């Protein structure tokens, strides 16, 4: 009975890992050339063109840059707060589902071990009822019980690798967004700005 939820857990981990990988690989990061182009537009007081260019960058990184450009006339401290809030939302979206892979990597071997223990209990019950006259039956029962442990490991290893890979990819995207935010705030042309409230 343990094999069905264990296999379901493995399939769920692979499906979520695949779709998460697709989502993260489609994220376009803001390149240095993009940031410089936006900053040049702002230096020339072409705020509309800067917003349009930033909006043209698809995904969370472009959205972050566009939000920063829209608030360019505010104090830098206020821009930092807005950008930080935007990044928290982006981090939540990027990391959604990755924790489930860690859960699969932890739960898979435990479920496999539970199945093995249940199989061993059943095997020893048969031995106590019918005796251990044939060692082949005992070996077959133990071998069948160990399939659960092997399946648990087969679920855990890919889930753990997917978790590590996708976590690293998400952190790389978030790090690039932080770099873009810092580059934008440092590169914003200084002008007379309203008092920060």
């Amino acid at each position: 009975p343990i094999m069905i939820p264990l296999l379901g857990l493995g399939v769920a981990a692979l499906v979520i890992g695949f779709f998460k990988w697709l989502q993260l690989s489609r994220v376009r990061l803001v390149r240095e050339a993009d940031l410089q182009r936006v900053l040049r537009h702002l230096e020339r007081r072409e705020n509309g063109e800067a917003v349009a260019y930033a909006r043209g960058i698809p995904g969370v990184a472009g959205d972050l840059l566009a939000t920063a450009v829209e608030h360019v006339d505010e104090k830098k401290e206020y821009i930092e707060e807005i950008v930080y809030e935007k990044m928290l939302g982006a981090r939540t979206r990027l990391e959604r589902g990755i924790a489930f892979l860690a859960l699969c990597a932890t739960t898979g071997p435990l479920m496999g071990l539970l199945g093995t223990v249940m199989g061993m209990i059943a095997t020893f019950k048969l031995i106590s009822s019918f005796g251990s006259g044939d060692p082949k039956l005992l070996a077959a029962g133990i071998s069948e019980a160990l399939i659960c442990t092997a399946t648990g490991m087969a679920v855990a290893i890919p889930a753990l690798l997917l978790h590590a890979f996708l976590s690293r990819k998400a952190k790389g995207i978030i790090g690039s967004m932080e770099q873009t935010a810092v580059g934008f705030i440092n590169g914003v042309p200084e002008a007379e700005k309203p008092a920060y409230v």
Side-chain angles (χ1 to χ4, degrees):
I2 296 294
M3 287 295 288
I4 294 169
L6 190 54
L7 290 172
L9 193 68
V11 169
L14 288 176
V15 168
I16 287 174
F18 175 72
F19 282 111
K20 199 69 198 172
W21 174 76
L22 274 180
Q23 179 197 9
L24 293 178
S25 59
R26 287 181 180 167
V27 172
R28 181 176 177 266
L29 300 176
V30 177
R31 298 183 307 262
E32 182 66 26
D34 296 326
L35 181 59
Q36 292 306 320
R37 186 164 174 184
V38 167
L39 291 173
R40 276 196 305 275
H41 280 307
L42 292 175
E43 284 173 8
R44 296 186 212 129
R45 297 285 183 198
E46 299 168 347
N47 290 15
E49 287 83 353
V51 171
Y53 186 81
R55 288 266 175 234
I57 301 169
V60 289
D63 190 36
L64 173 85
L65 186 59
T67 303
V69 171
E70 287 168 356
H71 293 89
V72 75
D73 292 329
E74 307 288 343
K75 292 281 279 181
K76 282 190 178 183
E77 293 86 357
Y78 185 66
I79 298 173
E80 284 175 11
E81 285 183 16
I82 290 171
V83 166
Y84 180 70
E85 183 182 335
K86 206 71 168 159
M87 284 183 59
L88 287 178
R91 173 178 279 135
T92 304
R93 280 196 304 272
L94 291 171
E95 292 179 347
R96 186 178 297 134
I98 294 179
F100 179 75
L101 297 173
L103 180 70
C104 291
T106 307
T107 309
L110 294 175
M111 287 177 72
L113 190 58
L114 176 63
T116 297
V117 169
M118 288 171 67
M120 296 294 279
I121 290 170
T123 301
F124 286 123
K125 271 187 184 175
L126 287 174
I127 289 172
S128 67
S129 298
F130 300 108
S132 60
D134 189 2
K136 286 183 181 177
L137 292 174
L138 178 62
I142 293 172
S143 171
E144 188 177 323
L146 288 173
I147 290 173
C148 281
T149 301
T151 306
M153 295 294 182
V155 166
I157 292 168
L160 187 62
L161 291 173
L162 278 170
H163 177 265
F165 172 73
L166 294 173
S167 292
R168 185 174 172 87
K169 195 161 180 61
K171 283 178 184 168
I173 292 169
I174 291 164
S176 173
M177 289 173 65
E178 287 174 353
Q179 190 175 359
T180 299
V182 169
F184 177 82
I185 290 167
N186 289 340
V188 168
E190 287 294 336
E192 291 182 23
K193 297 186 180 179
Y196 176 66
V197 240

